[in-house]
Amino acid sequence: MSTRSADSDTALVDGLSAGALRWIRSRSPYLDSPSGHAELPAVPRAKALLQLALLLRCWERTGHADPGPDEVRATVERVWRSPRYPRRLGLDPRYAQPFQLMYAALAPAGITGSPYPAVLARLAADGFLTPRRKSPYLHLETRYYADLAGVAHQLHSYRELYEASVLARHDGDGPVADLDVCEVTHTVFYLSDFGFRDPGLAGEELKRARRLVHRLTDLCVGRGEWDLTGKLVLAQLCLGADPLRTPSGAAGLRLLAGAQSPGGAIPGRSAGRRAAAAEDTVEFFREAYQATLVAALTAVMVSYARTGAGTDGAVGADGRHLTVRGAR
């Protein structure tokens, strides 16, 4: 890769990262406002706060300091200390237990006075931390967040859960149009801890998984699916590839950078669902938040892998190895 091309790639990722993080930092108080943004529904707000806490966890682990995550951390810490938030997590019975487990797992380091230990005790007592009629995907998600929370459980191993997943069952060459992209990408995220550990795949398994993710990326780029493209680019990274050196990954990052607004937002989940409202409105926030957060997380991790841990054997800010990078 030429120096000019490498510089251009770095600028593209840095611009995407800086803009998306700036927008998230300035808008994060929307999710924790006692007044003024009451029109944000309680259950989507609760989910959005969990996503914000996940971004904060990855952001801080990379040591990405410019801009720093101070506003985001302040929002997350206020929420995790609030006795109201656990009640919001239980408003929809379909998501109550997974949300409650994520809440416990994503508690900011050093926080005190949070009710989340009681939440974990209740989940264990209710049998949620056992295999009990879970789909392979939900089982894997539960295992990941239970481990992150440091709670004892009876869940299956990552290897067993991978073997039951759509990622393992697909041969990499068959039809992909009807696959659930979120299930594929989140399986990769949980196996790899969002890029902070090796996903445990090698040889033909790894080649098959990469082939599948590359094909899905091409599909979603062609459809202008901003949110899904961001997830797939991050999944490429988690599988050990440098997305800027794969045709589909580079196209995905260019798609996101081209969609980004002057304020830093990705203005909707897809080109076909672009937000129509003005950027300073709550309506725009609701349309743009998901895709912008995904773009921020993806760009932060790609930037980190290329600069902070871009060579074999490099380690992250917490001393743990990232998955091996490089053009494959």
Side-chain angles (χ1 to χ4, degrees):
M1 182 181 295
S2 69
T3 301
R4 181 175 180 180
S5 176
D7 289 346
S8 175
D9 290 344
T10 299
L12 183 148
V13 174
D14 287 350
L16 181 62
S17 172
L21 291 174
R22 183 176 64 249
W23 191 86
I24 292 291
R25 287 168 69 231
S26 66
R27 301 310 196 277
S28 61
Y30 275 43
L31 298 171
D32 182 38
S33 175
S35 62
H37 298 295
E39 59 267 53
L40 291 173
V43 173
R45 185 197 297 240
K47 179 180 179 181
L49 281 161
L50 292 170
Q51 294 169 324
L52 189 69
L54 176 62
L55 171 63
L56 176 66
R57 176 179 180 267
C58 295
W59 191 351
E60 290 189 326
R61 290 179 76 187
T62 66
H64 193 293
D66 186 21
D70 292 349
E71 294 95 330
V72 172
R73 169 167 272 279
T75 296
V76 172
E77 288 184 345
R78 279 195 306 272
V79 170
W80 258 250
R81 289 192 177 101
S82 168
R84 299 190 307 273
Y85 186 51
R87 291 197 292 271
R88 290 178 188 167
L89 297 172
L91 291 175
D92 189 329
R94 294 174 299 172
Y95 308 117
Q97 290 179 314
F99 279 10
Q100 288 162 358
L101 179 58
M102 293 176 198
Y103 160 74
L106 295 170
I111 195 168
T112 59
S114 171
Y116 78 81
V119 170
L120 281 175
R122 186 165 59 251
L123 289 172
D126 290 345
F128 185 68
L129 303 178
T130 66
R132 195 184 65 179
R133 296 193 303 277
K134 289 180 174 65
S135 68
Y137 172 69
L138 179 57
H139 195 149
L140 175 61
E141 179 182 73
T142 305
R143 169 70 197 247
Y144 173 73
Y145 284 108
D147 285 348
L148 202 58
V151 64
H153 59 74
Q154 302 169 41
L155 299 163
H156 295 162
S157 70
Y158 285 105
R159 183 65 201 177
E160 291 173 296
L161 295 171
Y162 161 72
E163 289 174 353
S165 71
V166 65
L167 187 67
R169 296 195 308 269
H170 198 280
D171 65 7
D173 295 315
V176 299
D178 294 331
L179 289 180
D180 185 328
V181 172
C182 289
E183 184 171 338
V184 171
T185 55
H186 282 77
T187 296
V188 174
F189 299 158
Y190 299 147
L191 290 173
S192 68
D193 190 14
F194 287 85
F196 287 100
R197 69 175 175 229
D198 190 294
L201 307 181
E204 188 55 38
E205 285 181 341
L206 184 58
K207 291 178 183 177
R208 213 169 44 234
R210 287 177 179 161
R211 195 158 63 242
L212 173 59
V213 170
H214 290 317
R215 292 180 62 212
L216 284 170
T217 309
D218 280 333
L219 181 69
C220 289
V221 168
R223 292 176 173 176
E225 295 282 357
W226 299 328
D227 178 38
L228 297 180
T229 294
K231 292 177 181 179
L232 286 159
V233 171
L234 179 55
Q236 290 191 20
L237 187 77
C238 293
L239 290 171
D242 179 348
L244 279 167
R245 293 187 180 184
T246 69
S248 63
L253 286 163
R254 288 194 297 269
L255 176 73
L256 294 174
Q260 192 169 36
S261 75
I266 306 300
R269 289 179 179 263
S270 67
R273 294 175 58 185
R274 181 185 291 269
E279 190 161 346
D280 60 351
T281 63
V282 174
E283 290 78 8
F284 182 90
F285 174 83
R286 291 183 63 182
E287 292 293 329
Y289 176 81
Q290 165 79 21
T292 306
L293 185 138
V294 167
L297 175 58
T298 298
V300 163
M301 292 304 298
V302 171
S303 176
Y304 178 44
R306 290 174 62 82
T307 58
T311 58
D312 293 0
V315 296
D318 60 356
R320 297 179 64 184
H321 285 262
L322 280 170
T323 49
V324 177
R325 309 303 182 198
R328 309 289 176 89

